[in-house]
Amino acid sequence: MTIPPADSAPPSDLSHIPVLAPQVLGALEPAPGKVFVDGTLGGAGHTRLLLGAGATVYGIDQDPYALERARAARIPGLHVLEGNYRDMAALLAAEGVTQVDGVLLDIGVSSFQLDDGERGFSYHTEAPLDMRMSQSGESAADVVNTYDEADLAAIIYEYGEDRLSRRIARAIVYAREKAPIETTVALADIVKRAYPGFSKGIHPARRTFQALRIHVNDELGALRAGLEAAEGLLRPGGRLAVISFHSLEDRIVKRYLLGSETLTPLTKRPLVASEEEQAGNPRARSAKLRSAQKRAPGDVGVQP
């Protein structure tokens, strides 16, 4: 999928509503003079909260549309960096920054990416089967049309946690023998037919789409590398906050924080959205926030 010309690109205004806003501010404690990394800049909703408290923010994103919007907005105090947050140490070193007061990671697909039907993240909208956040490398169409049945089943089971992964993989291979699977709706229909007796409720393609998106973008690999990079960048007393949206991500974050030799988790259980926020923003329903603080050398961490 090619990037459209500038006159057809998404608008430059940033109207993203950040999830768990009060919880993020409480975890990171932004203040004038502090420096933060927003490793998943997206619509800059969380970044605006940090800037509003007087902090400086280095916002990282690999999505060309998100980068264009952020640069066009010319937000004071925001330094926009292109890349994957897993490489935050190198990206900030190029800016002369070796330590920061806080790092925020809002994991997964953004609202802008979901709402832009042409990106291929949604099974509800007819679009090229893409799912690449960076618009480069292997697409979801490449995966479903070239991977063997066993590998497809493994991806759908591991990243989608779908008990019918083998059946779905078999259906995909059978369908592509007749014609390449090139659109989101075509794949969604294949998965739906593989589910016995499906009539209504959550679409059965949800898990398959999640699995393909995670695989194409190496999201879990990026998360593991990003956590390690963030830990290295934080100065003593610095804070890390991570928002995840499904169990695979949350499990990785939990285990990393508990196993870290320099990070002390700030809460025993993840913070979740209030009923009021969930009612106003359905995407907040599955959001979980975990946070931790960097210890000074020699300090002994105390678990909450």
Side-chain angles (χ1 to χ4, degrees):
M1 179 173 140
T2 58
I3 300 174
D7 59 1
S8 63
S12 60
D13 62 296
L14 301 179
S15 56
H16 173 61
I17 301 175
V19 299
L20 300 173
Q23 294 89 333
V24 167
L25 289 174
L28 293 178
E29 297 184 336
K34 287 189 175 183
V35 178
F36 290 86
V37 175
D38 184 344
T40 47
L41 180 62
H46 289 107
T47 279
R48 285 188 182 276
L49 297 175
L50 301 175
L51 294 171
T56 296
V57 179
Y58 288 83
I60 302 171
D61 212 296
Q62 61 183 333
D63 187 321
Y65 297 126
L67 293 167
E68 180 180 353
R69 283 191 299 267
R71 287 168 176 156
R74 300 182 182 276
I75 306 172
L78 171 61
H79 303 265
V80 181
L81 306 179
E82 180 176 2
N84 190 295
Y85 69 84
R86 70 195 306 162
D87 301 315
M88 69 176 76
L91 291 170
L92 266 72
E95 301 292 318
V97 179
T98 57
Q99 283 192 321
V100 297
D101 298 289
V103 176
L104 171 66
L105 302 177
D106 183 359
I107 308 303
V109 65
S110 74
S111 298
F112 285 116
Q113 291 165 335
L114 284 172
D115 292 339
D116 183 359
E118 288 302 309
R119 301 297 298 277
F121 289 102
S122 173
Y123 44 83
H124 295 297
T125 306
E126 178 81 20
L129 189 57
D130 195 314
M131 301 193 193
R132 296 172 298 175
M133 293 181 181
S134 66
Q135 296 292 279
S136 63
E138 188 178 57
S139 70
D142 295 327
V143 175
V144 299
N145 286 297
T146 64
Y147 281 34
D148 64 33
E149 184 177 322
D151 287 340
L152 285 172
I155 289 169
I156 296 168
Y157 182 78
E158 181 177 358
Y159 299 145
E161 300 180 295
D162 197 313
R163 61 184 178 83
L164 296 183
S165 58
R166 293 182 181 178
R167 183 176 184 140
I168 294 169
R170 194 176 310 120
I172 289 172
V173 171
Y174 178 78
R176 78 188 189 195
E177 289 175 350
K178 299 179 179 179
I181 305 169
E182 298 178 339
T183 69
T184 52
V185 171
L187 177 60
D189 288 343
I190 292 167
V191 177
K192 184 167 65 174
R193 290 195 298 270
Y195 259 70
F198 172 75
S199 58
K200 60 181 179 179
I202 297 176
H203 198 293
R206 181 179 66 86
R207 293 181 181 274
T208 296
F209 272 61
Q210 171 184 297
L212 289 171
R213 191 200 80 221
I214 290 173
H215 173 77
V216 165
N217 297 289
D218 187 26
E219 291 180 29
L220 301 188
L223 175 56
R224 294 185 181 95
L227 291 169
E228 183 176 350
E231 182 177 10
L233 270 177
L234 287 173
R235 68 177 80 253
R239 300 287 188 91
L240 169 65
V242 186
I243 302 172
S244 62
F245 289 86
H246 58 74
S247 59
L248 294 173
E249 297 167 342
D250 182 59
R251 194 177 304 130
I252 290 172
V253 177
K254 176 183 178 181
R255 289 175 177 173
Y256 188 90
L257 297 184
L258 290 176
S260 171
E261 296 182 356
T262 68
L263 295 174
T264 300
L266 296 175
T267 56
K268 180 176 292 187
R269 294 181 177 82
L271 303 180
V272 298
S274 66
E275 292 184 2
E276 182 180 2
E277 181 179 1
Q278 293 182 41
N281 182 9
R283 288 176 182 164
R285 293 172 184 168
S286 57
K288 295 181 179 180
L289 172 67
R290 292 187 186 271
S291 59
Q293 186 169 34
K294 181 77 170 282
R295 298 192 293 273
D299 285 354
V300 178
V302 178
Q303 301 299 323

